[in-house]
Amino acid sequence: LTRAGPMYEGVRLVHERLDDPSVTALVLVALPEDLPIAETVDLWGRLGERQRLTRMCVLNGIQQRPFPVSVDWERARAALQSDASPAVNEAIALTDAWVARSRVQDRARERLQAELGVPLAELPRLATTIVTAADLDKLGASLMDGLR
């Protein structure tokens, strides 16, 4: 619109700051779900030459795995199904959902690592919305680990 005046100068100064990697860095953040991951990958592509400003990507809200990778859930599931009690069936259904969530998180992690050329940090899903200083320290440590 204009190439002179206080508005132009203000916008120019903001643009220079935002475009200076010694002053500004981008941190992409996504939930470990299909749509947010697709949107993050799309944003990465749209950044074009400004990808250089991206310091890291954060995968936010990671749930712990229900059990170690070495556990064969399908085999354990089959053994548990021999007991037809409602409580066991409910536990199996809950574990199935947890395992499915872990698989979605794994796909999200793999896609971000394959398509973004920046470090990936993971923040755990907090069990409560009340955040303590210890929670913040834990989250901060996770972010710092992602930058290493």
Side-chain angles (χ1 to χ4, degrees), residues 73-85 88-89 91-92 95:
W73 170 239
E74 297 306 320
R75 187 170 157 208
R77 185 182 197 287
L80 289 169
Q81 281 182 320
S82 63
D83 178 356
S85 78
V88 171
N89 288 336
I92 289 171
T95 304

Side-chain angles (χ1 to χ4, degrees), residues 94-113:
L94 290 169
T95 304
D96 282 343
W98 195 354
V99 168
R101 172 81 177 159
S102 288
R103 289 178 180 148
V104 169
Q105 291 178 167
D106 290 344
R107 284 194 310 271
R109 182 181 302 107
E110 291 165 7
R111 183 166 182 198
L112 290 176
Q113 288 172 334

Side-chain angles (χ1 to χ4, degrees), residues 7 14 23 44 72 76 102 131:
M7 183 65 106
V14 168
V23 178
W44 174 255
D72 182 354
S102 288
V131 179

Side-chain angles (χ1 to χ4, degrees), residues 2 23 29 41 47-48 53 55 61 74 78 84 99-100 105 110 113-114 121 133 141 143:
T2 179
V23 178
V29 180
V41 170
L47 285 172
L53 297 172
R55 182 78 189 266
E74 297 306 320
V99 168
Q105 291 178 167
E110 291 165 7
Q113 288 172 334
L143 289 174

Side-chain angles (χ1 to χ4, degrees), residues 124-141:
R125 181 173 182 199
L126 300 178
T128 177
T129 56
I130 299 172
V131 179
T132 66
D135 292 333
L136 293 175
D137 287 342
K138 182 179 177 183
L139 295 174

Side-chain angles (χ1 to χ4, degrees), residues 4 31 40 45 62 72 75 90 135:
L31 293 172
T40 301
I62 296 292
D72 182 354
R75 187 170 157 208
E90 184 176 353
D135 292 333

Side-chain angles (χ1 to χ4, degrees), residues 11-86:
V11 170
R12 185 185 62 75
L13 288 172
V14 168
H15 185 282
E16 285 177 4
R17 284 286 201 185
L18 292 177
D19 208 37
D20 182 353
S22 69
V23 178
T24 303
L26 298 176
V27 176
L28 305 180
V29 180
L31 293 172
E33 300 167 5
D34 293 333
L35 185 58
I37 296 302
E39 290 170 338
T40 301
V41 170
D42 180 62
L43 173 60
W44 174 255
R46 290 171 183 260
L47 285 172
E49 67 102 26
R50 286 197 170 94
Q51 287 177 351
R52 65 185 168 76
L53 297 172
T54 306
R55 182 78 189 266
M56 70 187 305
C57 183
V58 177
L59 202 50
N60 191 19
I62 296 292
Q63 291 182 348
Q64 287 185 319
R65 291 181 177 280
F67 29 72
V69 177
S70 61
V71 172
D72 182 354
W73 170 239
E74 297 306 320
R75 187 170 157 208
R77 185 182 197 287
L80 289 169
Q81 281 182 320
S82 63
D83 178 356
S85 78

